[in-house]
Amino acid sequence: MDKIVLFDFTTTTSNSPWQVINDGVMGGRSKSDFSLSKSGHGIFKGQVSLENNGGFCSIRLQMKKIDITGSTKVFLRIKGDNKRYQFRLKPNTNDYYNYIAYFDSGSQWETIQIALKDFYPNFRGRKLDMSNFDHQQLTEIGFLIGNKKAERFTLEIDAIWLE
């Protein structure tokens, strides 16, 4: 199976296709931003707040439809802060739900691998009664932090790919 690069950050990469979405869409007070470091890594950082029924920060990248036929795993080259995050997939832009999988970040650069079949459908924090990810295409990827506690976070991203 060939490697399908979904995003590879470099010093000349633009972070502009990534969109920040925090709990403010529901009245929450969490704040985050997404930037590019001088060393060419995406930096997703901020403060999760539980005020006003808040509790999450996220970023997403909408893409043209990508054929992922034959891919079985997603790989995340990341450096975190020892916190838990979600990686999110969307096979169709118009779906109201995402497929999610959790991963724990360490404080050193590492490559996390997650089987596509382990991503389950989720809408607003609730698991849906549907089958796990079994699609042959992707239109959106993203990261979310929402651990039911107020906390600062920083997640550095180097590359995201499928095999």
Side-chain angles (χ1 to χ4, degrees):
M1 175 69 224
D2 289 335
K3 181 178 186 176
I4 300 171
V5 177
L6 300 177
F7 209 89
D8 187 6
F9 289 93
T10 68
T11 55
T12 59
T13 302
S14 170
N15 65 334
S16 63
W18 289 85
Q19 181 180 11
V20 174
I21 300 169
N22 298 324
D23 56 22
V25 298
M26 301 168 8
R29 303 247 192 266
S30 298
K31 302 282 185 208
S32 72
D33 61 43
F34 190 70
S35 61
L36 193 63
S37 72
K38 287 184 172 125
S39 56
H41 300 112
I43 301 177
F44 173 42
K45 67 179 180 176
Q47 171 75 46
V48 175
S49 170
L50 301 180
E51 287 182 54
N52 241 21
N53 296 316
F56 77 87
C57 292
S58 72
I59 54 172
R60 71 178 178 195
L61 173 68
Q62 293 180 323
M63 311 171 288
K64 290 182 179 169
K65 190 183 299 182
I66 297 174
D67 182 357
I68 63 165
T69 303
S71 298
T72 60
K73 294 179 183 171
V74 64
F75 293 83
L76 310 171
R77 177 88 176 128
I78 56 110
K79 179 179 173 183
D81 49 10
N82 300 309
K83 292 186 170 72
R84 183 171 229 214
Y85 293 86
Q86 290 178 15
F87 188 66
R88 302 162 71 87
L89 306 173
K90 216 179 227 194
N92 302 297
T93 304
N94 295 330
D95 289 344
Y96 68 93
Y97 56 91
N98 288 280
Y99 287 88
I100 69 168
Y102 286 92
F103 67 92
D104 294 313
S105 70
S107 59
Q108 302 296 318
W109 282 106
E110 61 187 320
T111 300
I112 306 279
Q113 70 179 285
I114 308 167
L116 289 174
K117 66 179 177 54
D118 292 341
F119 284 80
Y120 63 88
N122 181 58
F123 181 66
R124 294 186 177 162
R126 291 185 174 82
K127 185 174 182 179
L128 301 178
D129 188 18
M130 299 166 54
S131 60
N132 281 9
F133 190 89
D134 62 354
H135 299 274
Q136 304 305 310
Q137 67 187 33
L138 274 182
T139 61
E140 187 176 299
I141 58 174
F143 292 89
L144 181 142
I145 183 166
N147 296 321
K148 297 183 180 4
K149 61 183 170 183
E151 61 186 343
R152 290 193 175 283
F153 67 91
T154 302
L155 180 68
E156 289 186 70
I157 309 161
D158 180 47
I160 304 161
W161 71 93
L162 298 170
E163 288 181 12

